[in-house]
Amino acid sequence: MTVSTDVLAELGIPAGTMPRLIGDPRPAALFAPLAVAECAVASVAACLAAAAELGHARTGRRPPVALDTAHVAAAVRGEVWLRDAAGRSVEGFAPLSRLWRAADGWVRTHANYPWHRAALLAALGVADGPDVEVMGRLADAVAARPAVDVETVVYDGGGLAVAARAPERWWAVAPSETATGSPLVGVVPLDGAAPPLPAPGRLPASGVRVLDLTRVIAGPVGTRMLGALGAEVLRVDDPLRPELPLHALDGVVGKASALLDARTAAGRETLHRLVDGADVVVTGYRPGALRRLGLDPDQIADRHPGTVVATLSAWGTTGAWGACRGFDSLVQIATGIGWTVRADDGRPGALPCQLLDHATGYLLAAGILTALTRRARTGAASHVSVSLARTARWLLDQGSRSPALGGDDEAGRQADAYRTALGNGWSGISPPGSVDGRPLRWPRLPPAYGRALPAWG
């Protein structure tokens, strides 16, 4: 399977470590005009292969790993399949997070968080109020401007909006590391010798401590997969920026969740104590946003030598876009994915899942596991880096596919085969894959957002 073996080669993982695949390598639930299914399966397969390689580095034995491709199809739509005790789903997008017609094309906005909604409306001079009224006023404001003008004024105002582009228009202005042949998953050495990893356990990442400073989907997907592979994961959030209901559940599965105000001296001191006790620190904020807290990779390498540092960004780290906020839905539209899967009337389309989030999350986990393998074998720490835009380039580079579609009803029936209880009446999708013949399971159920102490267990 070329897509998967290429990723393994990039990470330096032997091709023979590839998981045994079960089922159709292109599951019908992910059929699309692009290689969505292939990239989804490849990203999870790379994560499991990297886990097996870590197991080999820690114990001298490489555990067999296997992957059901239909399970992957359910997992990369995991937030869609969350259900409460009454069988109800959780809405993922707010009313103002959508496509709008601009004077010369289309614009995609993201206003799920209240502070992003406020910034969007203020930037375009739209008064807030009931959603139905605001949507009409916002539609008029966007329609009166060219799409790139909307993008510029909203970003300048601290909001989130991108103009829909064809792929060639995006890659002409894209950050260099996402537009060229840079690694899909960067793994580069950091200064400082690392202490030995804890004694190994049954799972490849057993005993490894992961400090999770990420939000929304991509970062939490990667860190919860590390939890399923045995790591102790502690997620820390800002109490003044509370998580949305969907992500307060989906984003803390498999981990402990604590709140910590790093604006205070005491909070910063506690945060760095947590870094002291961590083997891995994962951040998902804009490049440079955590520098004031001493949490950029070079700062962690200097103050906490030996720590594996992993950074996730939307757009990469260079150029005008490197400092911008972003989410999967925006990156799909800006990079030309929406154009590639557009409707007959020219309206930009969307992938059958938030693939950029999910694939990047599993690739992030694969990079971290690879960095831990290098640490186990050489005593050296590494900086792992991924971005949604680089994953978008990876997807587009695979070329077009038959546009056959799988039905949502059938996808839902298949997803139910991988449903697991999360506690408190909730259910969701179990982690994809098995190690040593045992299916992976979520630890630390039920999920409890913000309930844990900011300390290692």
Side-chain angles (χ1 to χ4, degrees), residues 206-450:
S206 292
V208 172
R209 286 177 169 176
V210 178
L211 182 60
D212 179 7
L213 305 178
T214 70
R215 293 170 73 89
V216 193
I217 298 176
V221 162
T223 53
R224 76 186 182 197
M225 190 64 172
L226 294 175
L229 289 163
E232 177 188 353
V233 183
L234 173 62
R235 172 171 163 166
V236 174
D237 279 274
D238 180 348
L240 302 183
R241 288 286 188 265
E243 192 53 283
L244 299 168
L246 171 62
H247 304 301
L249 176 67
D250 192 55
V252 300
V253 170
K255 61 194 78 169
S257 167
L259 302 177
L260 179 65
D261 187 355
R263 296 173 182 81
T264 68
R268 289 190 295 275
E269 182 180 347
T270 299
L271 188 57
H272 279 279
R273 280 203 304 270
L274 292 174
V275 178
D276 273 334
D279 298 294
V280 181
V281 175
V282 190
T283 69
Y285 293 83
R286 286 177 297 139
L290 298 181
R291 193 159 192 85
R292 62 187 176 80
L293 301 179
L295 293 176
D296 266 6
D298 63 310
Q299 294 173 309
I300 293 176
D302 181 58
R303 184 169 175 177
H304 310 279
T307 307
V308 170
V309 184
T311 54
L312 160 71
S313 65
W315 309 101
T317 59
T318 60
W321 285 86
C324 291
R325 301 172 180 87
F327 295 94
D328 179 303
S329 58
L330 300 177
V331 178
Q332 284 195 39
I333 293 298
T335 61
I337 290 172
W339 175 260
T340 304
V341 297
R342 65 190 182 279
D344 291 340
D345 64 359
R347 180 185 178 90
L351 301 177
C353 65
Q354 293 194 68
L355 178 77
L356 305 185
D357 266 332
H358 284 273
T360 304
Y362 288 110
L363 292 170
L364 174 69
I368 292 168
L369 293 163
T370 297
L372 288 168
T373 298
R374 294 183 184 181
R375 175 175 159 178
R377 288 175 173 158
T378 69
S382 302
H383 172 208
V384 178
S385 59
V386 294
S387 75
L388 302 184
R390 182 61 183 86
T391 301
R393 181 61 184 253
W394 177 51
L395 172 66
L396 288 165
D397 281 349
Q398 307 310 313
S400 61
R401 296 293 191 272
S402 165
L405 300 174
D408 258 2
D409 290 344
E410 179 60 26
R413 285 191 290 272
Q414 290 181 357
D416 283 341
Y418 309 103
R419 186 170 294 282
T420 188
L422 300 179
N424 298 329
W426 287 89
S427 68
I429 304 301
S430 60
S434 65
V435 175
D436 267 334
R438 300 179 183 178
L440 296 178
R441 294 286 182 259
W442 297 127
R444 302 194 70 103
L445 297 179
Y449 177 74

Side-chain angles (χ1 to χ4, degrees), residues 111-141:
N112 287 359
Y113 290 101
W115 49 93
H116 290 157
R117 174 188 172 111
L120 170 68
L121 297 180
L124 293 173
V126 174
D128 207 343
D131 285 343
V132 65
E133 297 175 9
V134 172
M135 289 180 71
R137 294 195 288 265
L138 186 56
D140 291 342

